[in-house]
Amino acid sequence: MLLYRIVLFFVPCAGKTVWLHLRAWPDPVFEGDALTLQCQGWRNTDVFQVEFYRDRKALGAPRDSWVLPMGTAALESSSQYSCSGRMAHIPHLGTQRSEMTTVQVQELFRPPELHAVPSPEPHEGAPLTLRCQTEMYPWKSASRLLFSFLKDGRTLRDRDPRQELHLPEAREGDSGLYWCQATPEGSSVQKQSPRLEVRVLAPVSQPLLTLSPGPTGLAVGDVVQLFCVALKGSPPILYSFYLDGKMLGSPQAPRGRTASFSFTVMSARDAGSYFCQAQNNVSKETSEPKTFSLDAPRLAPWLCAGLLAALAVPAALLGRFRPWRQSGPPPTQDPPPAPAGEQHAVYGNVTWQDEDEEADTYPSDLAVLREPEGHVCHLHRGEMLPAC
């Protein structure tokens, strides 16, 4: 009864009294710490039927206790928390709720950043240093950070106090995606840097020049294709083709493939010394020269067929007229023919000429018989045989 009277004495002030208070510890709390919430009653009065809330959403009720372990604190654990419960020995107050308490989890260190020194694109054979940069905040400066370096998912160095990974001579095989991780000693907190692409640039090797078809046995009208390839070298590779020192073209092979250049042989000026040049961001190399030569001019197949047809007509005429010429003189006033065996055929243009007409020229489908003295036999229109 005495306790009841005391409570009644304070009832007029109950509306102004905060019966519950939420406490988070440790205070301050850092990421990696074991965060715990505790619901305390007024003047350490025992509390029962306790529940905890985060941003006014229930977290649940601990078992027979007013303490709720929250596990390892992370930056995402920062929020506003509260609790509710009933006061022991003051049951008439009912369920009370604490004010909101802000829990701010402090950051131990910033996420690391990975840097390549002097450049993420070093030349092959040059030194390369990978530096993982971050540090503990002053209030935790006594803690030590351990660093790990990884490449394409493979660990190169694990949990070491050194912040740098040094490559004395970078090789093309060292190209890839790198990142680093930082972890405080004795802590489960681990932070990772963004990935950094390292591309070691290798110089181009001496390119090889080939011609298709080969550099000899070519003629005007042939199509020639030049191929140039450097078997080693970081892309992109720029190829240039030259004839006697003059550039013909400059194609690019972004992935280091073979470059080609084609042309049609137009004249003897297309013959000469050809070479190609390969160049990337590291070096430039020139191929061994190849000499391109032309054969004697060739006759096209259609022209050869035309010439054979032209030869066939005079041969047939000669075979038809030869018996008559050997049997006796022609019925004309012209000089007799030359002795047998002394005349020969010359293939050229045949001239038809009248007294009042100018000379017309026709294709060389007929033969003109020439005497040994150089006289030419003319065919007059309407005549069947030459008057010689």
Side-chain angles (χ1 to χ4, degrees):
M1 293 297 294
L2 180 61
L3 178 62
Y4 180 73
R5 291 177 181 177
I6 294 175
V7 170
L8 290 178
F9 178 78
F10 286 103
V11 165
C13 302
K16 300 180 180 179
T17 302
V18 178
W19 296 99
L20 294 179
H21 175 72
L22 181 83
R23 178 193 173 196
W25 48 280
D27 187 21
V29 57
F30 291 90
E31 54 183 347
D33 291 343
L35 176 62
T36 303
L37 302 179
Q38 182 178 5
C39 193
Q40 295 179 329
W42 178 68
R43 292 188 178 181
N44 293 325
T45 302
D46 292 341
V47 184
F48 64 97
Q49 295 182 356
V50 176
E51 288 191 11
F52 290 88
Y53 303 87
R54 176 178 179 176
D55 295 333
R56 303 186 184 278
K57 295 181 180 179
L59 292 174
R63 294 181 178 179
D64 302 327
S65 177
W66 56 87
V67 177
L68 178 64
M70 296 293 291
T72 302
L75 295 179
E76 296 78 12
S77 303
S78 299
S79 188
Q80 288 186 324
Y81 295 86
S82 62
C83 66
S84 66
R86 298 175 65 90
M87 305 292 296
H89 311 297
I90 317 178
H92 74 282
L93 291 178
T95 300
Q96 298 293 310
R97 191 162 186 167
S98 72
E99 295 181 348
M100 302 293 292
T101 299
T102 300
V103 176
Q104 184 65 47
V105 180
Q106 304 294 320
E107 191 175 29
L108 281 175
F109 59 96
R110 293 187 181 276
E113 295 182 357
L114 185 64
H115 299 275
V117 182
S119 168
E121 292 188 349
H123 292 179
E124 190 174 43
L128 175 65
T129 299
L130 299 175
R131 184 175 298 160
C132 192
Q133 291 184 335
T134 189
E135 58 183 8
M136 300 284 288
Y137 281 123
W139 45 82
K140 286 287 187 177
S141 58
S143 301
R144 186 174 67 161
L145 284 173
L146 303 178
F147 299 91
S148 302
F149 291 86
L150 301 95
K151 172 183 178 288
D152 297 332
R154 180 172 56 92
T155 302
L156 302 178
R157 182 193 293 167
D158 190 31
R159 293 179 178 265
D160 191 277
R162 292 172 293 175
Q163 289 184 253
E164 295 182 347
L165 178 66
H166 184 64
L167 302 178
E169 294 185 356
R171 297 298 175 191
E172 195 172 9
D174 295 326
S175 300
L177 290 177
Y178 289 80
W179 65 93
C180 66
Q181 295 173 345
T183 304
E185 191 172 20
S187 173
S188 60
V189 178
Q190 182 174 277
K191 296 186 180 182
Q192 180 175 299
S193 71
R195 299 191 178 192
L196 175 67
E197 182 179 5
V198 174
R199 193 163 68 99
V200 181
L201 302 179
V204 295
S205 59
Q206 185 181 29
L208 176 65
L209 176 68
T210 57
L211 285 75
S212 178
T216 59
L218 297 174
V220 173
D222 288 346
V223 177
V224 178
Q225 194 165 16
L226 307 177
F227 297 94
C228 188
V229 60
L231 299 180
K232 295 182 180 180
S234 299
I237 300 177
L238 181 67
Y239 291 94
S240 302
F241 294 88
Y242 295 85
L243 169 59
D244 295 331
K246 182 179 179 181
M247 182 182 291
L248 300 175
S250 186
Q252 191 177 43
R255 297 183 180 179
R257 297 176 179 174
T258 303
S260 63
F261 179 82
S262 60
F263 65 94
T264 302
V265 179
M266 303 300 295
S267 66
R269 289 180 300 179
D270 294 327
S273 178
Y274 284 82
F275 65 91
C276 69
Q277 192 175 79
Q279 179 181 2
N280 65 358
N281 294 330
V282 183
S283 65
K284 181 192 300 184
E285 294 291 339
T286 302
S287 71
E288 294 292 336
K290 288 187 177 294
T291 302
F292 175 79
S293 60
L294 292 180
D295 280 353
R298 303 175 190 167
L299 294 178
W302 62 267
L303 184 57
C304 294
L307 290 177
L308 290 176
L311 290 174
V313 173
L317 291 176
L318 285 177
R320 180 178 180 182
F321 295 153
R322 184 176 300 274
W324 174 83
R325 290 176 59 87
Q326 293 178 355
S327 61
T332 63
Q333 300 299 323
D334 292 332
E342 295 183 4
Q343 55 188 15
H344 60 278
V346 176
Y347 302 96
N349 292 332
V350 177
T351 302
W352 303 89
Q353 186 173 0
D354 290 338
E355 295 178 356
D356 298 330
E357 296 179 357
E358 295 181 357
D360 295 327
T361 302
Y362 293 86
S364 55
D365 294 335
L366 300 178
V368 179
L369 302 180
R370 186 179 300 274
E371 298 294 333
E373 292 81 9
H375 298 288
V376 178
C377 299
H378 298 277
L379 295 176
H380 295 280
R381 292 185 181 179
E383 295 184 359
M384 298 296 297
L385 299 176
C388 296

